[in-house]
Structure formats: C-alpha cells, structure tokens
Amino acid sequence: MKKIMLAGALSIACFTGGFGGQAYAQDVVNVANIIHPKQNVAATNQLQAMPYQDIYKMLLLSKIGFENNEVSIVTTKNSITVKISLEAILQSYKDGTNLYSEGEKEFKENYEELKKLFGQAIQIKITQTSNGYKSEVYTAGKWEAVSPEDLNDMVQVFARADIELKSGGYFKDAIGHWAESYIQLLYQTDIINGTTATTFNPNGQVTRGELAAIIFRASGLNVNEDYEGPASYTDLNGFWGAKEVAILEEYGLIDIFNGEKFEPKKPVTREEMAYITARYLEGMEVDVAQVSKNNSFTDKNQMRQETVEAIGLLQHLGILNGTNGKFNPKGNLTRAEVSKILTLTLMLVSEEE
C-alpha cells in the first residue's frame, strides 16, 4: 500500500449477553434476580423512557452478535418479535462471551425450570400501539403480557453493549428486509445514511462515489488531517467526495479504479467491492496470512485477474458468497449487500484489536 493505515476501525461490541426475565403472573421460578439489582433499576428506568422505535432499533442491533441459529428476529410494520435459544445463552457463559457475568449462577441453577417455562427458546414480542407499545412473552403455549420491569429484564439478553442510539434510522422500507440489522448498525455508527429520514432503499444500487464515502467513514480517516492533494482522476471537479477519493487513492484502497476517470456515478461491481474490502483489511493490518485465497467460484474466468485472490480471501473469511457456485463478478451491488459485507468486515477488524 502507498501508506500504512493508522486510523482505527469501528469497534463493534459483542452483543451476546446473559439472561434475565420472568413471564408476567408466573411464579414458577424467580429469575428477575439474574440481573444485578442496581443495574436492573437503572436499565428499567432507561427502557421505560425509550420509545418503541428505539427499542426496535436496539433489538435489531443485538442480532449482530448472534448466529442465525441462536437468535431470530421477525419484524413487521408495527411489531418486532425476538427468539433466542436458551442453549445459546448457556453456551455464552461457557465460552466467556456473556457480558452479564453476575447472572451466570442463577441462570445455570434455574436452567431446567426456564426450559419448562419458555421451552427451548425465549420469545419476546413488542407491538407498537397508539400510545406507546405493549410487550408479550411466549410461555405455556400462549402469549402472555409482561410488565415493563419484566420486559426490561428480558431485553437485557439483547442489549449488553454500551451504545447511545442516534435519532432517526427507523427505515420503513427496510422493515422485514434480510439486511435490516446490518443497515441499522452502519447507520448508528455514522457509516451509511438513509436516502431520506424514513427510507433506506435497500435494493438500490451503490455508486463508486457512494462506496468511497462509506469506506472512508469506516476507515476512521479525516478530510482535514489526511488530505494531501487532489486525486489523479480527471473527472472529480465538482464532485462532493473528491477529497475522500483522493485520500483513499493515496492509501491504495481504490487501485481497482485504475483509469484516468473515477466515474463517481457508475455503479460498483461485486468484484470491485471485493477488491476494495480486501485492501481495507490489509490497511487495517488484519492477519489473514493463514487464510486461503483459493477462489472456488466456477465463473472465475470472468473476473479481473487482480480480483481473483481478493474474492477467494473474502469467500474463505465468510464475508461474501455467491449463488449456485457462481460469484457474478460483473454484477452490481445493492445497498443492503454492501451493508452486510462491510458489517462482517468491521466485525473481523474489531476482533483483531
């Protein structure tokens, strides 16, 4: 690279947490004490003051820290339902990823009773109402109302990170989209914006200029501190992101665009995104020396030669995949796809810090 990237990447907190909760009107087992009393009071007050949209966003963010078989989230235009495996919570205590260590003893002691109460997984549904929201938990084969205090205990499962939510970000056109959690995380960390205050356009294409802005923000670079002069591209006069492009070029992140023109309004291709992502990992000094770069996609002959190993690397890192064995290198990327790729990349970077 032309420079060693010194700026720090986004540190994504692990959202995997412990457990605390009790179905309303149930006295089979008192699991409210799983949460430390002082933290419970503080968190309860905080939750009661949160509007539905903020609770919605918080639960979306929590999904990032779990595997798909551990947590599922179903969203509709007026509700969010979260289901978390009790086994996953137990495993998080065993492997040390649980951030609520004070709940371990009580959870393990009451594990079998919790299974009787909730089954293999606890399910929470929060539904928006005209004057706020109502919350329910699935127990004994039906949905039961829960008090705000008990809701708080259960939401603690998903909200371990110390994060202050931004206003906005409740994108109505992303509700129920497979990439909704990735989109929310990048929005909350100021890496990607909506197309309006209430829309994201998840299936819209991403241009080179937009990708440059997104990568720039994710890199922690600063226009005032890192800009040393205009880029070599001849078509950036009047382009709002000209300085960002110049800085990325200086760091060697966008060498894939090696013509005289940058063409900021041109849609990014899948292989271009892969190349830039791999260079970003290199710039953040992520150790991938032992990771295979063997590209197993059957349409490898359609890839630009300089992208073959980058695509193979990201394939083995689990950051990107194809369809039916093909990568479709010349295909364009959607805003949702970029959100997922970048989130997984940043999570990998955070593990190295």
Side-chain angles (χ1 to χ4, degrees):
M1 301 190 74
K2 298 178 183 177
K3 288 187 177 181
I4 298 297
M5 189 175 294
L6 300 177
L10 167 71
S11 294
I12 299 179
C14 175
F15 290 97
T16 305
F19 172 84
Q22 180 181 12
Y24 186 70
Q26 291 280 355
D27 58 2
V28 176
V29 56
N30 181 7
V31 295
N33 290 332
I34 290 173
I35 305 300
H36 189 279
K38 291 183 179 179
Q39 285 189 299
N40 184 35
V41 172
T44 298
N45 291 338
Q46 180 185 26
L47 181 61
Q48 289 176 325
M50 291 178 72
Y52 169 81
Q53 291 186 4
D54 281 355
I55 295 177
Y56 181 97
K57 291 184 290 184
M58 181 179 66
L59 293 176
L60 280 181
L61 290 172
S62 72
K63 176 67 173 70
I64 299 295
F66 295 93
E67 299 293 335
N68 288 332
N69 62 339
E70 296 174 337
V71 170
S72 66
I73 291 183
V74 177
T75 58
T76 71
K77 64 180 181 180
N78 65 351
S79 72
I80 181 166
T81 302
V82 186
K83 180 178 181 180
I84 179 170
S85 161
L86 289 177
E87 176 61 31
I89 300 172
L90 182 62
Q91 183 59 41
S92 72
Y93 280 122
K94 292 178 179 179
D95 62 23
T97 59
N98 194 300
L99 300 182
Y100 239 134
S101 57
E102 61 267 39
E104 180 175 3
K105 181 175 181 291
E106 289 83 356
F107 179 80
K108 289 182 176 179
E109 288 179 349
N110 294 305
Y111 184 71
E112 293 304 320
E113 293 298 328
L114 292 170
K115 287 174 67 175
K116 293 177 183 177
L117 187 62
F118 298 116
Q120 296 300 318
I122 181 171
Q123 298 181 68
I124 305 168
K125 179 165 64 176
I126 302 174
T127 305
Q128 190 172 24
T129 63
S130 58
N131 59 350
Y133 59 86
K134 68 175 182 178
S135 53
E136 300 168 283
V137 63
Y138 194 78
T139 179
K142 60 182 178 179
W143 288 102
E144 296 277 2
V146 296
S147 68
E149 291 79 13
D150 287 336
L151 172 64
N152 172 80
D153 289 347
M154 290 182 285
V155 167
Q156 293 305 310
V157 176
F158 311 97
R160 291 299 186 256
D162 182 14
I163 183 170
E164 185 173 340
L165 292 174
K166 285 174 54 180
S167 60
Y170 186 71
F171 301 121
K172 294 181 179 179
D173 63 344
I175 292 174
H177 196 284
W178 61 264
E180 193 174 7
S181 289
Y182 303 122
I183 291 167
Q184 188 61 223
L185 189 144
L186 295 188
Y187 172 80
Q188 290 294 333
T189 49
D190 293 319
I191 292 175
I192 199 166
N193 299 314
T195 51
T196 71
T198 59
T199 60
F200 185 78
N201 190 20
N203 298 321
Q205 292 184 346
V206 178
T207 66
R208 291 181 174 186
E210 290 168 339
L211 179 62
I214 292 169
I215 294 295
F216 186 87
R217 295 171 194 145
S219 301
L221 296 167
N222 186 291
V223 170
N224 296 324
E225 296 177 2
D226 295 291
Y227 182 70
E228 296 183 356
S232 65
Y233 303 109
T234 61
D235 61 343
L236 296 180
N237 287 337
F239 173 53
W240 54 266
K243 288 187 176 180
E244 286 86 344
V245 171
I247 295 169
L248 293 180
E249 182 185 26
E250 186 66 24
Y251 276 97
L253 289 175
I254 55 175
D255 289 348
I256 191 70
F257 307 130
N258 54 9
E260 289 186 7
K261 296 182 178 182
F262 179 69
E263 300 180 275
K265 295 183 179 181
K266 185 176 182 179
V268 169
T269 66
R270 290 170 56 82
E271 66 179 348
E272 290 167 347
M273 177 71 186
Y275 180 90
I276 292 170
T277 302
R279 295 306 299 270
Y280 172 83
L281 288 172
E282 177 185 343
M284 297 311 301
E285 299 183 342
V286 176
D287 184 9
V288 294
Q290 303 304 313
V291 181
S292 172
K293 295 181 181 179
N294 180 41
N295 186 325
S296 64
F297 292 112
T298 58
D299 53 354
K300 184 164 53 177
N301 62 336
Q302 298 176 25
M303 301 173 187
R304 291 174 56 170
Q305 188 57 43
E306 61 267 43
T307 70
V308 172
E309 288 194 352
I311 293 170
L313 172 67
L314 298 185
Q315 179 186 18
H316 286 281
L317 288 173
I319 291 175
L320 53 75
N321 49 41
T323 303
N324 298 323
K326 295 184 177 181
F327 182 68
N328 187 22
K330 310 302 181 187
N332 297 130
L333 282 161
T334 66
R335 287 166 58 81
E337 290 170 333
V338 168
S339 296
K340 179 180 180 179
I341 291 170
L342 189 54
T343 295
L344 295 180
T345 301
L346 290 171
M347 291 178 71
L348 180 62
V349 171
S350 72
E351 292 173 3
E352 294 283 317
E353 294 183 344

